[in-house]
Each structure stands twice: as structure tokens, then as C-alpha cells.
Amino acid sequence: MKVALLSFAHVHAATYIQLLRDRSDIELIVTDPDADPSDPTRGKALADALGVTYRPGYDDALAEHPRAVIVTSESARHRTLVEQAAAAGAHILCEKPLATTEDDARAMIDTCEQAGVNLMTAHPVRLHPAFAALRHTLTDGTLGPLLSVHGVNTSSPPALQRPWFADPALAGGGAIIDHTLHIADLLDVLLDGQQPTHVHAVANTLLTPDGADQPAVESAGLITLTYPRGLVVTIDCSWSHPATHPTWGGLTLTCIGERALAEFDAFPPLLTGYDTTRATTRWEPAATDLDAAMLDTFLTAARTGQRAHPDGHTGLRTLRAALAAYESLRTGQPATLTGSV
């Protein structure tokens, strides 16, 4: 099956390329025409370094009629590339956030539905076996009704690798839109798509790396979501890991029910030790490669024509939570979510 990856702007693009290039069932082509030709981490220079087939532009890649397309551009450019890929008849996996505005996200969903192609949102954490076990504790009654949930999704600032993450015009915001969404997707699974009624946010720029320019986006945020029947959820969505941290990021979820408490950690494998000169910490590869699992799910749906999950509607629901957080920041009051997806 022919697969095209459009743009290397996102920090996950190279990972997806490396996971796909050696698969015997995939013919991979890539393109990154918006890259600075002098940047060795983008464009043809990266494609050559990774040993994959490069095309000079998006039209050139889509003209080869790929069955599946992965969109890893700057967030504000998702809509244009998704619409081009849908017009070419390709099934689409789009990086999160699905878009930077609700109008763009809805337009992308409509375009893909009219074209009869899948639109999958890149939310891989829901595929973790430990999260499936957590969900089972809720569905089988072990937890009892949920009373509160605390989610943490933190990382090093992605703008250290890709400066556009700190450009609100291209990214749609900072740490809130970058790190609220994975937790929001897990909540979407646990609550069967139920959306919060109110969202309150606080944020600051205190975690900007030393020597960085004055930030245009928030680097730390705390979001409180209130759901029907009184469930309260908090999300720490900060870029709080220093560049020297042993892992790029981390994600945990603590669910408190009437009968029990359950804690999920998406990246637990850790080796610690001590010698006479320094303490040592080394993170070992997790048993489950979530990106690989997500790609498998997407490619299976593309081959079979089955609906891919999480789909565009899921991506819209998680986006709406982040956009409501920004509305709360603007007003200093909880934002009310109305309407349906």
C-alpha cells in the first residue's frame, strides 16, 4: 500500500517515517516543500538521511495516488492538506490538534465524509494496554461512579526543536493546545464522548527556557473541566521538563471513584541507580510503542475501509476543550461549552 507523509514540521514526523520505511507492506513517499532548504532537520536533507523517497511538493506526492496520507504539518495548515488529500481519495491520519479553530475542524470532517475517506486524529495513548485495563475498572464497576480525575501531560518545550510551536498563528496557542488534548481524548473514551459543560483555565509563561525570546504563548497551564453530574477533572498541561530531563515527556491519569482509585502511567519503564560520582536515571523503551500501534490501526482501516478511531469527531471534541480553555483565559471566567459534535 502506498502511503504519503506530508510535511516534516511536526516533531513526530521523523518517528512515523522510521516506523514505516522498513515495512514490506508499505511504499512510503514523503514531501516537505515548506521547509527551509538550509535546515538539515527538514525537507530533502532529512528524507535522504532517513533513506526515504522524496517528492518536491504536495501535489507531486498526491499525484501518485497514495491510499493513505499522514499530515504532520504545522497545526494551522492541517485543513488545507487534509482537503487536498481527501480530494485525492486518500484516507488520512492527521496530527493533533486536528485544527486550530472549530470551523476548520468541522470543515475537515465534512470534506472527508463527502469524499468517503477516513479522517483519524493522532491520539495514540488510548491504545495503551494499561489504559484499556483502566477503562475496564470503570466499565466493570470496580471504580464505581467517577468522582474526580487528575491528568498530567508534560514535556520539554517542543519549540526547542520546532520554533513554530511557540507561534500562535501556526500552533493555535502553546502548552494548553499541545498537551490538553491527549488527556481530553482519554476522557472521551472513559466518558463515551460526553463533553464538559464548563472549562476554567489559568496559565503563565514562567517555564520559558533560559535565553529564549519573550514567549508569545503559554508554557504552563492548569485546566479544570466540569462535567454533567458533578465530575471534576484537572489537567496539568505544562512544558515543564528541562532539556536535560531523561524523557521528552510524560502522561499520567488518576481516577478517583466511589469504590476505588486507579492510576495510569503511559511511560513507566525506568532504571535508576547511584554511583560514587552521580545519581543515574535511565528510561528504558516501553513495551508498547504507541506510535506504531496508532499507525497499525490507521493502516488497517485504510486497507479495509473500516472507520478509523479516534476519528475527526473525536478530534473536534478534544479541540473544543482546549479552545474553551483559551476563552476562559481571555475572560478570567469559566467558559461554557454548548452545542454538540
Side-chain angles (χ1 to χ4, degrees), residues 66-82:
R67 184 168 181 82
V69 163
I70 301 171
V71 174
T72 42
S73 66
E74 299 87 345
S75 301
R77 293 173 173 161
H78 286 176
R79 176 177 175 177
T80 298
L81 294 180
V82 165

Side-chain angles (χ1 to χ4, degrees), residues 20-104:
L20 292 171
R21 68 181 175 188
D22 298 325
R23 288 182 55 150
S24 61
D25 60 335
I26 297 297
E27 178 186 351
L28 179 65
I29 55 175
V30 301
T31 185
D32 189 27
D34 300 318
D36 181 345
S38 66
D39 185 352
T41 68
R42 297 280 305 269
K44 192 173 186 303
L46 179 60
D48 289 345
L50 295 176
V52 291
T53 302
Y54 188 81
R55 296 291 179 258
Y58 299 126
D59 290 340
D60 301 284
L62 294 173
E64 298 192 26
H65 306 291
R67 184 168 181 82
V69 163
I70 301 171
V71 174
T72 42
S73 66
E74 299 87 345
S75 301
R77 293 173 173 161
H78 286 176
R79 176 177 175 177
T80 298
L81 294 180
V82 165
E83 290 178 339
Q84 285 182 250
H91 297 288
I92 303 156
L93 171 64
C94 184
E95 255 302 339
K96 62 86 184 165
L98 187 61
T100 57
T101 70
E102 185 170 337
D103 286 345
D104 278 356

Side-chain angles (χ1 to χ4, degrees), residues 68-70 91-93 120 294-302 308:
V69 163
I70 301 171
H91 297 288
I92 303 156
L93 171 64
M120 180 175 171
M294 178 181 68
L295 291 175
D296 280 341
T297 299
F298 169 60
L299 296 173
T300 297

Side-chain angles (χ1 to χ4, degrees), residues 200-266:
H200 183 258
V202 292
N204 60 49
T205 60
L206 297 178
L207 296 176
T208 302
D210 292 340
D213 294 336
Q214 183 63 30
V217 296
E218 74 287 348
S219 55
L222 183 64
I223 316 302
T224 303
L225 305 96
T226 304
Y227 285 80
R229 301 177 185 172
L231 173 65
V232 176
V233 176
T234 61
I235 301 175
D236 176 351
C237 52
S238 304
W239 290 336
S240 56
H241 288 199
T244 55
H245 196 275
T247 63
W248 180 79
L251 188 149
T252 62
L253 196 69
T254 301
C255 296
I256 300 172
E258 285 188 356
R259 300 175 183 169
L261 178 149
E263 296 178 307
F264 164 65
D265 189 340

